[in-house]
Amino acid sequence: MPVKDLVILIMVFNSLISAGGQLCFKLGVNDRNLVFILLGLICYGVSLLIWLFVLSKVDLSFAYALVALTFVFLLIFSRVFLHETIGIYRIIGSLLIILGIVFVAKS
């Protein structure tokens, strides 16, 4: 598997971890639950280590564009776990983010 393809897979995983960390932070502050806040910090620590690995393999401009995928995962997590209402503009915005990521991945 080419390095670029591997990095894309790793960044998808990293975006899931980052979004999971944000979800934990939200649950932690809503419920005043230190366990969720600590879990969010752990997610961020793991995400940082993965990010440093990614930066050692590809250009920053390529890697950082893939970080935008975190917004898409957060939208899904917010709906599923927090039962937030997701409007049409957020959905369209997320689709545009995905389209942008596809263009960057093809470059």
Side-chain angles (χ1 to χ4, degrees):
M1 175 180 285
V3 172
K4 188 171 141 184
D5 292 343
L6 180 61
V7 166
I8 290 171
L9 287 176
I10 290 171
M11 282 303 299
V12 168
F13 179 69
N14 198 39
S15 291
L16 282 167
I17 292 173
S18 293
Q22 283 295 325
L23 176 65
C24 288
F25 288 147
K26 178 66 174 170
L27 292 170
V29 297
N30 281 356
D31 299 336
R32 299 178 196 253
N33 187 329
L34 186 59
V35 173
F36 277 119
I37 293 172
L38 291 174
L39 188 56
L41 288 171
I42 290 169
C43 287
Y44 263 44
V46 170
S47 178
L48 172 65
L49 294 175
I50 293 170
W51 178 246
L52 294 174
F53 170 78
V54 166
L55 287 180
S56 73
K57 301 297 179 193
V58 296
D59 293 340
L60 176 62
S61 59
F62 177 80
Y64 205 77
L66 298 176
V67 171
L69 193 54
T70 305
F71 292 107
V72 177
F73 289 134
L74 273 173
L75 183 80
I76 294 166
F77 288 178
S78 295
R79 177 67 186 133
V80 172
F81 297 109
L82 302 173
H83 309 290
E84 292 181 2
T85 302
I86 307 300
I88 188 70
Y89 291 115
R90 289 186 195 175
I91 294 169
I92 292 169
S94 293
L95 292 173
L96 290 172
I97 288 171
I98 292 169
L99 181 63
I101 291 169
V102 167
F103 283 129
V104 168
K106 297 273 184 195
S107 66

